Amino acid sequence: PSELSPEQRPLYDDMRKGIEANFKGFIAINGAGQLIGPWNPWIRFPKFGGPVWELVKSLSTAPTLPRPVREIAILVTGAHFHSAYEIYAHVLVAELRGITDDKIATIVAGQRPGDLTREEAVAYDLAAALVSGGVLPALTYQQAVRLFGEEGTAEFIYLVGLYCMVSVTLNGFDVPVPDVDESRKPPAVNS
């Protein structure tokens, strides 16, 4: 952090504040105060990272979708891209959101769990359709709108698009999973 440029410093400060407030349950800041995960590449190139961070903030501040639905969407996306850090972070968050380990493991393996709730099933199907490419099937869209409303469905679509970008960032810059010391537990997630 002490070596940041004048363009990087305000972005770092804003990201650190946002991470500490909204991204809990996994390691995103190391012991030296460096941001890890997708934030580090975004700070390195603030011309691109700044606008991405604004989108992250808009989708993480007061979301309308239920938190488990969001985690299903993020896990499906991370699994599609085989994004190690994304999977690491959101497996932990999904567990804290009450999603069972069996469901999480099945999603991370690229499969649809058979015991999903109705909301989870629609979330899985919607995210899987979005990351597979092509136009979203009308029936999948209609089911999402019935459950989440038009604005909630739009939030979902933008969320999957964002996490596609997060996954590509993580993979493109080969961002590693942090070394997790058993004696250092990540902070708890707020409900």
Side-chain angles (χ1 to χ4, degrees), residues 26-112:
F26 58 94
I27 298 171
I29 304 171
N30 70 17
Q34 297 167 323
L35 305 184
I36 60 174
W39 296 283
N40 193 29
W42 293 340
I43 289 172
R44 174 76 172 88
F45 302 100
K47 176 182 176 181
F48 309 115
V52 174
W53 175 240
E54 290 302 316
L55 180 59
V56 169
K57 290 191 307 188
S58 72
L59 286 167
S60 63
T61 305
T64 61
L65 292 169
R67 298 214 184 257
V69 164
R70 290 173 56 89
E71 290 311 314
I72 297 280
I74 295 166
L75 286 172
V76 168
T77 305
H80 175 79
F81 285 96
H82 306 284
S83 180
Y85 183 91
E86 195 61 43
I87 293 168
Y88 147 75
H90 286 278
V91 161
L92 294 171
V93 176
E95 288 174 342
L96 293 168
R97 300 283 182 226
I99 300 172
T100 67
D101 287 346
D102 286 344
K103 286 180 186 178
I104 294 168
T106 302
I107 293 168
V108 168
Q111 303 296 314
R112 186 182 194 268

Side-chain angles (χ1 to χ4, degrees), residues 19-30:
I19 290 165
E20 289 171 344
N22 297 306
F23 294 90
K24 299 176 182 176
F26 58 94
I27 298 171
I29 304 171
N30 70 17

Side-chain angles (χ1 to χ4, degrees), residues 2-191:
S2 63
E3 297 175 16
L4 294 172
S5 73
E7 295 81 25
Q8 294 169 324
R9 174 51 76 177
L11 183 57
Y12 168 87
D13 291 341
D14 191 40
M15 285 181 173
R16 182 161 182 152
K17 180 180 169 189
I19 290 165
E20 289 171 344
N22 297 306
F23 294 90
K24 299 176 182 176
F26 58 94
I27 298 171
I29 304 171
N30 70 17
Q34 297 167 323
L35 305 184
I36 60 174
W39 296 283
N40 193 29
W42 293 340
I43 289 172
R44 174 76 172 88
F45 302 100
K47 176 182 176 181
F48 309 115
V52 174
W53 175 240
E54 290 302 316
L55 180 59
V56 169
K57 290 191 307 188
S58 72
L59 286 167
S60 63
T61 305
T64 61
L65 292 169
R67 298 214 184 257
V69 164
R70 290 173 56 89
E71 290 311 314
I72 297 280
I74 295 166
L75 286 172
V76 168
T77 305
H80 175 79
F81 285 96
H82 306 284
S83 180
Y85 183 91
E86 195 61 43
I87 293 168
Y88 147 75
H90 286 278
V91 161
L92 294 171
V93 176
E95 288 174 342
L96 293 168
R97 300 283 182 226
I99 300 172
T100 67
D101 287 346
D102 286 344
K103 286 180 186 178
I104 294 168
T106 302
I107 293 168
V108 168
Q111 303 296 314
R112 186 182 194 268
D115 60 343
L116 296 172
T117 66
R118 179 73 180 133
E119 278 188 342
E120 292 170 342
V122 170
Y124 183 95
D125 294 345
L126 182 57
L130 290 168
V131 298
S132 70
V135 175
L136 182 63
L139 182 57
T140 305
Y141 179 80
Q142 291 163 3
Q143 289 176 335
V145 168
R146 277 196 293 276
L147 264 177
F148 308 130
E150 274 189 294
E151 188 166 326
T153 301
E155 179 183 321
F156 192 105
I157 291 167
Y158 287 120
L159 182 72
V160 169
L162 169 63
Y163 277 91
C164 288
M165 184 182 316
V166 170
S167 294
V168 168
T169 298
L170 292 165
N171 288 346
F173 290 99
D174 195 18
V175 175
V177 173
D179 291 329
V180 181
D181 179 332
E182 284 301 315
S183 65
R184 183 172 179 234
K185 295 236 181 222
V189 171
N190 295 336
S191 296

